[in-house]
Amino acid sequence: MLGPNRYGKAETRLVRVIRDGDTHSLLDFNVSVALAGDLAATHATGDNSTVLPTDTMKNTVYAFAKEHGVGEPESFALLLGRHFVVSQPQVESATISIEAYGWDRLGPHSFAKRGDYTRTAVVTVTADAAQVVSGIGGLVLLNTTDSEFHGFVRDRYTTLPPATDRILATAVDAKWRHLAADGDWAQSYEMAVVALKTAFAETYSYSLQQTLMAMGTRVLTERPEIAEVRLALPNKHHYLVDLSPFDLTNDNEVFIAGDRPYGLIEGTVTRDDVPAAIAEWWL
């Protein structure tokens, strides 16, 4: 028996130049489309009479970029999602996922690509509702102190020493679900990221779990339009280098930046009694 399924066009690369005289603006998106609905026939017999080609989805992305322009990723995703649901009666839901890459202006028409983090948006549209999830990926944060980790469970395999002053570093992957499918997406995103950064910097941490809770709580406290926040925080370990063979002391000054393995802390911070999501959403 056929279970839940969907199909679409993944990772359509879109660059849109906005020309305003000699001053240009640049938007750089990676757009993925996934449609679900009356698709049993194509799976069972190869009957494609309800299948919109994925190539058409790609073409729609580019045509909409010209016809409607490209603004905030949430707005563009809502536009695309509603189009597929309204224009294709066999489609029950459309999920549009966008990665937005930042460029810093160097001049009227010159830019340098940011390599530090990526803005994300995932929009799910049905005939009756829409759900907007915004986020950020790869935001690297680090505190050189104000972090401890001790009092943990020990067994015969435990070798980790307790720490009362350590580097705490992570690469934040965070997504937050909005209460409504409209709003000032640019300001909401900007201020949610500020809240994440501020909470990380201002929290004296006894565990990365505690820091995760503080970051999610700060977003919900400062952004009333957000229903819940999901975070994945890899612990980017920094190990103190043993300098004793060189007759040198190391007072938390010289470290090895570890690559892998790493601890991974994941969690959701939510408001009480928020409306249920219309579609599953993940980090």
Side-chain angles (χ1 to χ4, degrees):
M1 181 177 71
L2 179 67
N5 64 90
R6 63 182 188 174
Y7 82 108
K9 182 66 87 176
E11 300 197 25
T12 296
R13 292 290 285 111
L14 167 66
V15 175
R16 178 67 155 90
V17 177
I18 303 169
R19 300 176 182 271
D20 183 14
D22 292 333
T23 300
H24 299 170
S25 297
L26 184 68
L27 293 164
D28 187 355
F29 286 1
N30 192 25
V31 183
S32 294
V33 178
L35 306 182
D38 182 11
L39 299 168
T42 187
H43 289 89
T45 66
D47 177 359
N48 296 321
S49 58
T50 62
V51 177
L52 181 72
T54 65
D55 189 66
T56 303
M57 300 177 199
K58 174 205 70 180
N59 293 340
T60 303
V61 170
Y62 292 131
F64 270 41
K66 172 60 178 177
E67 294 175 351
H68 303 284
V70 178
E72 301 301 317
E74 293 87 352
S75 299
F76 192 60
L78 282 164
L79 187 70
L80 287 168
R82 287 167 175 156
H83 163 77
F84 289 121
V85 170
V86 171
S87 66
Q88 301 297 318
Q90 76 279 14
V91 173
E92 297 173 2
S93 70
T95 298
I96 314 298
S97 303
I98 296 179
E99 296 176 333
Y101 308 115
W103 292 80
D104 293 321
R105 180 177 297 281
L106 301 179
H109 52 263
S110 302
F111 303 86
K113 189 172 185 179
R114 296 181 206 142
D116 47 354
Y117 57 84
T118 302
R119 179 177 175 179
T120 63
V122 180
V123 169
T124 301
V125 176
T126 68
D128 303 318
Q131 174 177 291
V132 179
V133 175
S134 303
I136 190 168
L139 174 65
V140 178
L141 303 175
L142 184 148
N143 285 331
T144 57
T145 189
D146 286 352
S147 174
E148 305 181 18
F149 187 61
H150 50 79
F152 45 81
V153 174
R154 306 191 71 90
D155 67 10
R156 62 180 295 200
Y157 303 111
T158 302
T159 59
L160 183 71
T164 57
D165 187 4
R166 66 171 183 168
I167 286 179
L168 182 67
T170 188
V172 179
D173 284 333
K175 291 186 177 180
W176 46 93
R177 178 169 67 92
H178 294 266
L179 287 166
D182 58 15
D184 186 338
W185 305 119
Q187 183 186 49
S188 180
Y189 169 79
E190 180 182 347
M191 298 312 297
V193 173
V194 169
L196 290 170
K197 292 178 178 178
T198 302
F200 181 87
E202 294 183 353
T203 299
Y204 192 106
S205 179
Y206 293 94
S207 68
L208 191 48
Q209 287 90 336
Q210 175 200 4
T211 300
L212 180 150
M213 185 69 181
M215 294 170 73
T217 300
R218 186 72 168 249
V219 172
L220 296 184
T221 299
E222 298 189 0
R223 304 310 308 171
E225 75 276 12
I226 294 173
E228 56 182 327
V229 185
R230 294 183 180 177
L231 298 112
L233 303 182
N235 196 336
K236 299 178 75 69
H237 299 295
H238 289 71
Y239 304 105
L240 202 64
V241 177
D242 180 8
L243 298 178
S244 60
F246 320 118
D247 295 325
L248 297 171
T249 59
N250 190 358
D251 186 19
N252 277 353
E253 294 173 309
V254 182
F255 297 85
I256 299 170
D259 179 15
R260 61 195 66 181
Y262 54 85
L264 179 60
I265 312 303
E266 300 174 291
T268 301
V269 183
T270 184
R271 298 186 189 277
D272 294 334
D273 302 324
V274 294
I278 70 168
E280 293 290 347
W281 57 286
W282 311 100
L283 284 164

PDB file of all heavy atoms in Angstrom, residues 29-32 72-78 95-100 118-124 131-136 174-176 178 185 189:
ATOM      1  N   PHE A  29      19.094  32.769  -4.233  1.00  0.00           N
ATOM      2  CA  PHE A  29      18.269  31.756  -3.585  1.00  0.00           C
ATOM      3  C   PHE A  29      18.572  30.365  -4.122  1.00  0.00           C
ATOM      4  O   PHE A  29      18.974  30.191  -5.278  1.00  0.00           O
ATOM      5  CB  PHE A  29      16.770  32.016  -3.835  1.00  0.00           C
ATOM      6  CG  PHE A  29      16.186  33.171  -3.056  1.00  0.00           C
ATOM      7  CD1 PHE A  29      16.959  33.945  -2.202  1.00  0.00           C
ATOM      8  CD2 PHE A  29      14.846  33.492  -3.194  1.00  0.00           C
ATOM      9  CE1 PHE A  29      16.410  35.008  -1.496  1.00  0.00           C
ATOM     10  CE2 PHE A  29      14.281  34.548  -2.501  1.00  0.00           C
ATOM     11  CZ  PHE A  29      15.059  35.314  -1.654  1.00  0.00           C
ATOM     12  N   ASN A  30      18.352  29.386  -3.278  1.00  0.00           N
ATOM     13  CA  ASN A  30      18.317  27.977  -3.672  1.00  0.00           C
ATOM     14  C   ASN A  30      16.917  27.472  -3.331  1.00  0.00           C
ATOM     15  O   ASN A  30      16.577  27.362  -2.155  1.00  0.00           O
ATOM     16  CB  ASN A  30      19.389  27.181  -2.908  1.00  0.00           C
ATOM     17  CG  ASN A  30      19.609  25.799  -3.470  1.00  0.00           C
ATOM     18  OD1 ASN A  30      19.344  25.552  -4.637  1.00  0.00           O
ATOM     19  ND2 ASN A  30      20.090  24.891  -2.644  1.00  0.00           N
ATOM     20  N   VAL A  31      16.090  27.205  -4.338  1.00  0.00           N
ATOM     21  CA  VAL A  31      14.664  26.960  -4.152  1.00  0.00           C
ATOM     22  C   VAL A  31      14.335  25.497  -4.426  1.00  0.00           C
ATOM     23  O   VAL A  31      14.688  24.965  -5.481  1.00  0.00           O
ATOM     24  CB  VAL A  31      13.825  27.855  -5.089  1.00  0.00           C
ATOM     25  CG1 VAL A  31      12.333  27.658  -4.835  1.00  0.00           C
ATOM     26  CG2 VAL A  31      14.216  29.319  -4.930  1.00  0.00           C
ATOM     27  N   SER A  32      13.640  24.874  -3.483  1.00  0.00           N
ATOM     28  CA  SER A  32      13.164  23.504  -3.659  1.00  0.00           C
ATOM     29  C   SER A  32      11.647  23.473  -3.529  1.00  0.00           C
ATOM     30  O   SER A  32      11.074  24.104  -2.640  1.00  0.00           O
ATOM     31  CB  SER A  32      13.796  22.557  -2.627  1.00  0.00           C
ATOM     32  OG  SER A  32      15.195  22.441  -2.840  1.00  0.00           O
ATOM     33  N   GLU A  72      11.630  39.006   0.171  1.00  0.00           N
ATOM     34  CA  GLU A  72      12.009  38.134   1.274  1.00  0.00           C
ATOM     35  C   GLU A  72      11.738  36.680   0.895  1.00  0.00           C
ATOM     36  O   GLU A  72      10.761  36.398   0.181  1.00  0.00           O
ATOM     37  CB  GLU A  72      11.224  38.500   2.533  1.00  0.00           C
ATOM     38  CG  GLU A  72      11.430  39.929   2.998  1.00  0.00           C
ATOM     39  CD  GLU A  72      12.888  40.225   3.301  1.00  0.00           C
ATOM     40  OE1 GLU A  72      13.548  39.380   3.931  1.00  0.00           O
ATOM     41  OE2 GLU A  72      13.364  41.305   2.913  1.00  0.00           O
ATOM     42  N   PRO A  73      12.572  35.752   1.339  1.00  0.00           N
ATOM     43  CA  PRO A  73      12.367  34.353   0.950  1.00  0.00           C
ATOM     44  C   PRO A  73      11.004  33.814   1.373  1.00  0.00           C
ATOM     45  O   PRO A  73      10.397  33.006   0.654  1.00  0.00           O
ATOM     46  CB  PRO A  73      13.516  33.606   1.633  1.00  0.00           C
ATOM     47  CG  PRO A  73      14.053  34.553   2.664  1.00  0.00           C
ATOM     48  CD  PRO A  73      13.782  35.919   2.168  1.00  0.00           C
ATOM     49  N   GLU A  74      10.494  34.244   2.542  1.00  0.00           N
ATOM     50  CA  GLU A  74       9.175  33.777   2.982  1.00  0.00           C
ATOM     51  C   GLU A  74       8.081  34.224   2.009  1.00  0.00           C
ATOM     52  O   GLU A  74       7.172  33.450   1.672  1.00  0.00           O
ATOM     53  CB  GLU A  74       8.871  34.304   4.390  1.00  0.00           C
ATOM     54  CG  GLU A  74       9.752  33.732   5.490  1.00  0.00           C
ATOM     55  CD  GLU A  74      11.042  34.490   5.707  1.00  0.00           C
ATOM     56  OE1 GLU A  74      11.345  35.403   4.890  1.00  0.00           O
ATOM     57  OE2 GLU A  74      11.762  34.207   6.677  1.00  0.00           O
ATOM     58  N   SER A  75       8.161  35.466   1.544  1.00  0.00           N
ATOM     59  CA  SER A  75       7.155  35.986   0.619  1.00  0.00           C
ATOM     60  C   SER A  75       7.195  35.250  -0.721  1.00  0.00           C
ATOM     61  O   SER A  75       6.149  34.906  -1.285  1.00  0.00           O
ATOM     62  CB  SER A  75       7.375  37.483   0.393  1.00  0.00           C
ATOM     63  OG  SER A  75       7.254  38.204   1.600  1.00  0.00           O
ATOM     64  N   PHE A  76       8.390  35.025  -1.233  1.00  0.00           N
ATOM     65  CA  PHE A  76       8.519  34.324  -2.509  1.00  0.00           C
ATOM     66  C   PHE A  76       8.041  32.879  -2.385  1.00  0.00           C
ATOM     67  O   PHE A  76       7.375  32.355  -3.295  1.00  0.00           O
ATOM     68  CB  PHE A  76       9.975  34.373  -2.981  1.00  0.00           C
ATOM     69  CG  PHE A  76      10.177  33.948  -4.406  1.00  0.00           C
ATOM     70  CD1 PHE A  76       9.550  34.625  -5.438  1.00  0.00           C
ATOM     71  CD2 PHE A  76      11.004  32.886  -4.720  1.00  0.00           C
ATOM     72  CE1 PHE A  76       9.738  34.241  -6.766  1.00  0.00           C
ATOM     73  CE2 PHE A  76      11.213  32.492  -6.031  1.00  0.00           C
ATOM     74  CZ  PHE A  76      10.575  33.174  -7.063  1.00  0.00           C
ATOM     75  N   ALA A  77       8.334  32.237  -1.266  1.00  0.00           N
ATOM     76  CA  ALA A  77       7.877  30.862  -1.050  1.00  0.00           C
ATOM     77  C   ALA A  77       6.357  30.790  -0.951  1.00  0.00           C
ATOM     78  O   ALA A  77       5.727  29.867  -1.492  1.00  0.00           O
ATOM     79  CB  ALA A  77       8.520  30.292   0.214  1.00  0.00           C
ATOM     80  N   LEU A  78       5.733  31.741  -0.245  1.00  0.00           N
ATOM     81  CA  LEU A  78       4.275  31.771  -0.172  1.00  0.00           C
ATOM     82  C   LEU A  78       3.662  31.965  -1.551  1.00  0.00           C
ATOM     83  O   LEU A  78       2.656  31.325  -1.897  1.00  0.00           O
ATOM     84  CB  LEU A  78       3.825  32.894   0.760  1.00  0.00           C
ATOM     85  CG  LEU A  78       3.934  32.620   2.260  1.00  0.00           C
ATOM     86  CD1 LEU A  78       3.836  33.915   3.055  1.00  0.00           C
ATOM     87  CD2 LEU A  78       2.863  31.635   2.713  1.00  0.00           C
ATOM     88  N   THR A  95       5.128  22.432  -0.511  1.00  0.00           N
ATOM     89  CA  THR A  95       6.151  22.889   0.426  1.00  0.00           C
ATOM     90  C   THR A  95       7.296  23.504  -0.372  1.00  0.00           C
ATOM     91  O   THR A  95       7.878  22.847  -1.239  1.00  0.00           O
ATOM     92  CB  THR A  95       6.674  21.727   1.288  1.00  0.00           C
ATOM     93  OG1 THR A  95       5.593  21.195   2.058  1.00  0.00           O
ATOM     94  CG2 THR A  95       7.767  22.204   2.234  1.00  0.00           C
ATOM     95  N   ILE A  96       7.587  24.748  -0.066  1.00  0.00           N
ATOM     96  CA  ILE A  96       8.661  25.475  -0.748  1.00  0.00           C
ATOM     97  C   ILE A  96       9.756  25.749   0.275  1.00  0.00           C
ATOM     98  O   ILE A  96       9.503  26.382   1.313  1.00  0.00           O
ATOM     99  CB  ILE A  96       8.164  26.804  -1.336  1.00  0.00           C
ATOM    100  CG1 ILE A  96       6.839  26.623  -2.087  1.00  0.00           C
ATOM    101  CG2 ILE A  96       9.240  27.426  -2.211  1.00  0.00           C
ATOM    102  CD1 ILE A  96       6.923  25.700  -3.283  1.00  0.00           C
ATOM    103  N   SER A  97      10.956  25.279  -0.012  1.00  0.00           N
ATOM    104  CA  SER A  97      12.099  25.484   0.879  1.00  0.00           C
ATOM    105  C   SER A  97      13.120  26.365   0.166  1.00  0.00           C
ATOM    106  O   SER A  97      13.473  26.091  -0.988  1.00  0.00           O
ATOM    107  CB  SER A  97      12.748  24.142   1.252  1.00  0.00           C
ATOM    108  OG  SER A  97      11.797  23.275   1.843  1.00  0.00           O
ATOM    109  N   ILE A  98      13.583  27.386   0.862  1.00  0.00           N
ATOM    110  CA  ILE A  98      14.524  28.323   0.259  1.00  0.00           C
ATOM    111  C   ILE A  98      15.720  28.534   1.184  1.00  0.00           C
ATOM    112  O   ILE A  98      15.555  28.772   2.382  1.00  0.00           O
ATOM    113  CB  ILE A  98      13.855  29.684  -0.027  1.00  0.00           C
ATOM    114  CG1 ILE A  98      12.741  29.523  -1.071  1.00  0.00           C
ATOM    115  CG2 ILE A  98      14.884  30.709  -0.508  1.00  0.00           C
ATOM    116  CD1 ILE A  98      12.006  30.812  -1.392  1.00  0.00           C
ATOM    117  N   GLU A  99      16.901  28.441   0.617  1.00  0.00           N
ATOM    118  CA  GLU A  99      18.124  28.899   1.260  1.00  0.00           C
ATOM    119  C   GLU A  99      18.499  30.228   0.617  1.00  0.00           C
ATOM    120  O   GLU A  99      18.587  30.318  -0.607  1.00  0.00           O
ATOM    121  CB  GLU A  99      19.262  27.892   1.077  1.00  0.00           C
ATOM    122  CG  GLU A  99      19.012  26.550   1.749  1.00  0.00           C
ATOM    123  CD  GLU A  99      20.125  25.553   1.449  1.00  0.00           C
ATOM    124  OE1 GLU A  99      20.765  25.684   0.374  1.00  0.00           O
ATOM    125  OE2 GLU A  99      20.346  24.643   2.262  1.00  0.00           O
ATOM    126  N   ALA A 100      18.694  31.241   1.429  1.00  0.00           N
ATOM    127  CA  ALA A 100      19.033  32.566   0.921  1.00  0.00           C
ATOM    128  C   ALA A 100      20.468  32.897   1.304  1.00  0.00           C
ATOM    129  O   ALA A 100      20.815  32.897   2.488  1.00  0.00           O
ATOM    130  CB  ALA A 100      18.072  33.616   1.487  1.00  0.00           C
ATOM    131  N   THR A 118      23.643  30.870   6.582  1.00  0.00           N
ATOM    132  CA  THR A 118      22.634  30.870   5.534  1.00  0.00           C
ATOM    133  C   THR A 118      21.263  31.109   6.142  1.00  0.00           C
ATOM    134  O   THR A 118      20.903  30.485   7.140  1.00  0.00           O
ATOM    135  CB  THR A 118      22.624  29.516   4.788  1.00  0.00           C
ATOM    136  OG1 THR A 118      23.918  29.274   4.236  1.00  0.00           O
ATOM    137  CG2 THR A 118      21.589  29.504   3.668  1.00  0.00           C
ATOM    138  N   ARG A 119      20.490  31.988   5.548  1.00  0.00           N
ATOM    139  CA  ARG A 119      19.098  32.201   5.942  1.00  0.00           C
ATOM    140  C   ARG A 119      18.221  31.155   5.266  1.00  0.00           C
ATOM    141  O   ARG A 119      18.448  30.806   4.098  1.00  0.00           O
ATOM    142  CB  ARG A 119      18.650  33.606   5.545  1.00  0.00           C
ATOM    143  CG  ARG A 119      17.206  33.929   5.886  1.00  0.00           C
ATOM    144  CD  ARG A 119      16.879  35.362   5.512  1.00  0.00           C
ATOM    145  NE  ARG A 119      15.465  35.672   5.707  1.00  0.00           N
ATOM    146  CZ  ARG A 119      14.925  36.861   5.467  1.00  0.00           C
ATOM    147  NH1 ARG A 119      15.692  37.850   5.007  1.00  0.00           N
ATOM    148  NH2 ARG A 119      13.627  37.079   5.663  1.00  0.00           N
ATOM    149  N   THR A 120      17.205  30.658   5.967  1.00  0.00           N
ATOM    150  CA  THR A 120      16.333  29.631   5.395  1.00  0.00           C
ATOM    151  C   THR A 120      14.866  30.009   5.592  1.00  0.00           C
ATOM    152  O   THR A 120      14.507  30.760   6.494  1.00  0.00           O
ATOM    153  CB  THR A 120      16.583  28.253   6.032  1.00  0.00           C
ATOM    154  OG1 THR A 120      16.251  28.307   7.432  1.00  0.00           O
ATOM    155  CG2 THR A 120      18.023  27.815   5.869  1.00  0.00           C
ATOM    156  N   ALA A 121      14.028  29.457   4.735  1.00  0.00           N
ATOM    157  CA  ALA A 121      12.578  29.578   4.877  1.00  0.00           C
ATOM    158  C   ALA A 121      11.940  28.323   4.299  1.00  0.00           C
ATOM    159  O   ALA A 121      12.335  27.855   3.230  1.00  0.00           O
ATOM    160  CB  ALA A 121      12.050  30.814   4.159  1.00  0.00           C
ATOM    161  N   VAL A 122      10.971  27.766   5.025  1.00  0.00           N
ATOM    162  CA  VAL A 122      10.205  26.618   4.558  1.00  0.00           C
ATOM    163  C   VAL A 122       8.730  26.951   4.730  1.00  0.00           C
ATOM    164  O   VAL A 122       8.263  27.173   5.842  1.00  0.00           O
ATOM    165  CB  VAL A 122      10.549  25.330   5.335  1.00  0.00           C
ATOM    166  CG1 VAL A 122       9.718  24.161   4.809  1.00  0.00           C
ATOM    167  CG2 VAL A 122      12.039  25.011   5.231  1.00  0.00           C
ATOM    168  N   VAL A 123       8.017  26.990   3.612  1.00  0.00           N
ATOM    169  CA  VAL A 123       6.604  27.354   3.620  1.00  0.00           C
ATOM    170  C   VAL A 123       5.784  26.176   3.111  1.00  0.00           C
ATOM    171  O   VAL A 123       6.106  25.598   2.071  1.00  0.00           O
ATOM    172  CB  VAL A 123       6.356  28.594   2.728  1.00  0.00           C
ATOM    173  CG1 VAL A 123       4.865  28.820   2.515  1.00  0.00           C
ATOM    174  CG2 VAL A 123       6.989  29.825   3.360  1.00  0.00           C
ATOM    175  N   THR A 124       4.743  25.818   3.840  1.00  0.00           N
ATOM    176  CA  THR A 124       3.811  24.776   3.423  1.00  0.00           C
ATOM    177  C   THR A 124       2.447  25.414   3.222  1.00  0.00           C
ATOM    178  O   THR A 124       1.926  26.092   4.117  1.00  0.00           O
ATOM    179  CB  THR A 124       3.714  23.654   4.464  1.00  0.00           C
ATOM    180  OG1 THR A 124       5.013  23.075   4.651  1.00  0.00           O
ATOM    181  CG2 THR A 124       2.744  22.571   4.012  1.00  0.00           C
ATOM    182  N   GLN A 131       1.722  27.691   6.414  1.00  0.00           N
ATOM    183  CA  GLN A 131       2.638  27.657   7.560  1.00  0.00           C
ATOM    184  C   GLN A 131       3.998  28.171   7.112  1.00  0.00           C
ATOM    185  O   GLN A 131       4.530  27.727   6.088  1.00  0.00           O
ATOM    186  CB  GLN A 131       2.758  26.229   8.080  1.00  0.00           C
ATOM    187  CG  GLN A 131       3.795  26.032   9.180  1.00  0.00           C
ATOM    188  CD  GLN A 131       3.799  24.598   9.682  1.00  0.00           C
ATOM    189  OE1 GLN A 131       2.860  24.163  10.325  1.00  0.00           O
ATOM    190  NE2 GLN A 131       4.859  23.865   9.393  1.00  0.00           N
ATOM    191  N   VAL A 132       4.562  29.086   7.902  1.00  0.00           N
ATOM    192  CA  VAL A 132       5.856  29.684   7.569  1.00  0.00           C
ATOM    193  C   VAL A 132       6.862  29.368   8.668  1.00  0.00           C
ATOM    194  O   VAL A 132       6.615  29.648   9.843  1.00  0.00           O
ATOM    195  CB  VAL A 132       5.730  31.201   7.395  1.00  0.00           C
ATOM    196  CG1 VAL A 132       7.093  31.823   7.071  1.00  0.00           C
ATOM    197  CG2 VAL A 132       4.719  31.538   6.300  1.00  0.00           C
ATOM    198  N   VAL A 133       7.977  28.785   8.258  1.00  0.00           N
ATOM    199  CA  VAL A 133       9.074  28.482   9.168  1.00  0.00           C
ATOM    200  C   VAL A 133      10.319  29.192   8.643  1.00  0.00           C
ATOM    201  O   VAL A 133      10.735  28.959   7.507  1.00  0.00           O
ATOM    202  CB  VAL A 133       9.332  26.969   9.275  1.00  0.00           C
ATOM    203  CG1 VAL A 133      10.564  26.692  10.137  1.00  0.00           C
ATOM    204  CG2 VAL A 133       8.104  26.256   9.852  1.00  0.00           C
ATOM    205  N   SER A 134      10.873  30.070   9.443  1.00  0.00           N
ATOM    206  CA  SER A 134      12.105  30.773   9.075  1.00  0.00           C
ATOM    207  C   SER A 134      13.273  30.172   9.849  1.00  0.00           C
ATOM    208  O   SER A 134      13.070  29.448  10.820  1.00  0.00           O
ATOM    209  CB  SER A 134      11.978  32.262   9.376  1.00  0.00           C
ATOM    210  OG  SER A 134      10.884  32.833   8.706  1.00  0.00           O
ATOM    211  N   GLY A 135      14.488  30.501   9.442  1.00  0.00           N
ATOM    212  CA  GLY A 135      15.609  29.943  10.178  1.00  0.00           C
ATOM    213  C   GLY A 135      16.953  30.451   9.716  1.00  0.00           C
ATOM    214  O   GLY A 135      17.072  31.296   8.823  1.00  0.00           O
ATOM    215  N   ILE A 136      17.966  29.907  10.372  1.00  0.00           N
ATOM    216  CA  ILE A 136      19.351  30.234  10.059  1.00  0.00           C
ATOM    217  C   ILE A 136      20.189  28.977  10.244  1.00  0.00           C
ATOM    218  O   ILE A 136      19.919  28.155  11.119  1.00  0.00           O
ATOM    219  CB  ILE A 136      19.869  31.379  10.963  1.00  0.00           C
ATOM    220  CG1 ILE A 136      21.232  31.887  10.486  1.00  0.00           C
ATOM    221  CG2 ILE A 136      19.911  30.967  12.434  1.00  0.00           C
ATOM    222  CD1 ILE A 136      21.663  33.188  11.159  1.00  0.00           C
ATOM    223  N   ALA A 174      18.980  26.835  13.531  1.00  0.00           N
ATOM    224  CA  ALA A 174      17.745  27.172  14.233  1.00  0.00           C
ATOM    225  C   ALA A 174      16.638  27.419  13.222  1.00  0.00           C
ATOM    226  O   ALA A 174      16.867  27.989  12.153  1.00  0.00           O
ATOM    227  CB  ALA A 174      17.936  28.411  15.105  1.00  0.00           C
ATOM    228  N   LYS A 175      15.427  26.965  13.574  1.00  0.00           N
ATOM    229  CA  LYS A 175      14.230  27.268  12.791  1.00  0.00           C
ATOM    230  C   LYS A 175      13.126  27.670  13.742  1.00  0.00           C
ATOM    231  O   LYS A 175      13.041  27.153  14.856  1.00  0.00           O
ATOM    232  CB  LYS A 175      13.804  26.065  11.944  1.00  0.00           C
ATOM    233  CG  LYS A 175      14.767  25.750  10.806  1.00  0.00           C
ATOM    234  CD  LYS A 175      14.236  24.659   9.908  1.00  0.00           C
ATOM    235  CE  LYS A 175      15.192  24.411   8.737  1.00  0.00           C
ATOM    236  NZ  LYS A 175      14.705  23.336   7.840  1.00  0.00           N
ATOM    237  N   TRP A 176      12.293  28.606  13.287  1.00  0.00           N
ATOM    238  CA  TRP A 176      11.188  29.056  14.129  1.00  0.00           C
ATOM    239  C   TRP A 176       9.922  29.159  13.295  1.00  0.00           C
ATOM    240  O   TRP A 176       9.910  29.647  12.173  1.00  0.00           O
ATOM    241  CB  TRP A 176      11.513  30.382  14.813  1.00  0.00           C
ATOM    242  CG  TRP A 176      12.111  31.449  13.951  1.00  0.00           C
ATOM    243  CD1 TRP A 176      11.447  32.437  13.274  1.00  0.00           C
ATOM    244  CD2 TRP A 176      13.511  31.662  13.674  1.00  0.00           C
ATOM    245  NE1 TRP A 176      12.325  33.238  12.604  1.00  0.00           N
ATOM    246  CE2 TRP A 176      13.601  32.801  12.829  1.00  0.00           C
ATOM    247  CE3 TRP A 176      14.686  31.012  14.064  1.00  0.00           C
ATOM    248  CZ2 TRP A 176      14.818  33.277  12.366  1.00  0.00           C
ATOM    249  CZ3 TRP A 176      15.896  31.495  13.606  1.00  0.00           C
ATOM    250  CH2 TRP A 176      15.954  32.617  12.767  1.00  0.00           C
ATOM    251  N   HIS A 178       6.192  30.556  12.614  1.00  0.00           N
ATOM    252  CA  HIS A 178       5.429  31.769  12.839  1.00  0.00           C
ATOM    253  C   HIS A 178       3.972  31.442  13.169  1.00  0.00           C
ATOM    254  O   HIS A 178       3.416  30.444  12.698  1.00  0.00           O
ATOM    255  CB  HIS A 178       5.485  32.670  11.610  1.00  0.00           C
ATOM    256  CG  HIS A 178       6.843  33.217  11.323  1.00  0.00           C
ATOM    257  ND1 HIS A 178       7.268  34.447  11.777  1.00  0.00           N
ATOM    258  CD2 HIS A 178       7.890  32.686  10.650  1.00  0.00           C
ATOM    259  CE1 HIS A 178       8.508  34.664  11.376  1.00  0.00           C
ATOM    260  NE2 HIS A 178       8.915  33.613  10.698  1.00  0.00           N
ATOM    261  N   TRP A 185       8.770  40.032   7.354  1.00  0.00           N
ATOM    262  CA  TRP A 185       9.704  38.900   7.410  1.00  0.00           C
ATOM    263  C   TRP A 185      11.130  39.364   7.642  1.00  0.00           C
ATOM    264  O   TRP A 185      11.884  38.710   8.363  1.00  0.00           O
ATOM    265  CB  TRP A 185       9.615  38.084   6.121  1.00  0.00           C
ATOM    266  CG  TRP A 185       8.244  37.609   5.788  1.00  0.00           C
ATOM    267  CD1 TRP A 185       7.515  37.904   4.673  1.00  0.00           C
ATOM    268  CD2 TRP A 185       7.413  36.739   6.575  1.00  0.00           C
ATOM    269  NE1 TRP A 185       6.290  37.286   4.722  1.00  0.00           N
ATOM    270  CE2 TRP A 185       6.203  36.569   5.873  1.00  0.00           C
ATOM    271  CE3 TRP A 185       7.578  36.105   7.822  1.00  0.00           C
ATOM    272  CZ2 TRP A 185       5.159  35.775   6.363  1.00  0.00           C
ATOM    273  CZ3 TRP A 185       6.539  35.309   8.305  1.00  0.00           C
ATOM    274  CH2 TRP A 185       5.354  35.150   7.590  1.00  0.00           C
ATOM    275  N   TYR A 189      13.137  38.201  10.993  1.00  0.00           N
ATOM    276  CA  TYR A 189      14.357  37.401  10.876  1.00  0.00           C
ATOM    277  C   TYR A 189      15.533  38.090  11.557  1.00  0.00           C
ATOM    278  O   TYR A 189      16.256  37.484  12.361  1.00  0.00           O
ATOM    279  CB  TYR A 189      14.682  37.148   9.405  1.00  0.00           C
ATOM    280  CG  TYR A 189      16.051  36.552   9.185  1.00  0.00           C
ATOM    281  CD1 TYR A 189      16.287  35.200   9.394  1.00  0.00           C
ATOM    282  CD2 TYR A 189      17.113  37.359   8.787  1.00  0.00           C
ATOM    283  CE1 TYR A 189      17.554  34.658   9.205  1.00  0.00           C
ATOM    284  CE2 TYR A 189      18.379  36.831   8.607  1.00  0.00           C
ATOM    285  CZ  TYR A 189      18.596  35.475   8.810  1.00  0.00           C
ATOM    286  OH  TYR A 189      19.849  34.957   8.645  1.00  0.00           O
TER     287      TYR A 189
END
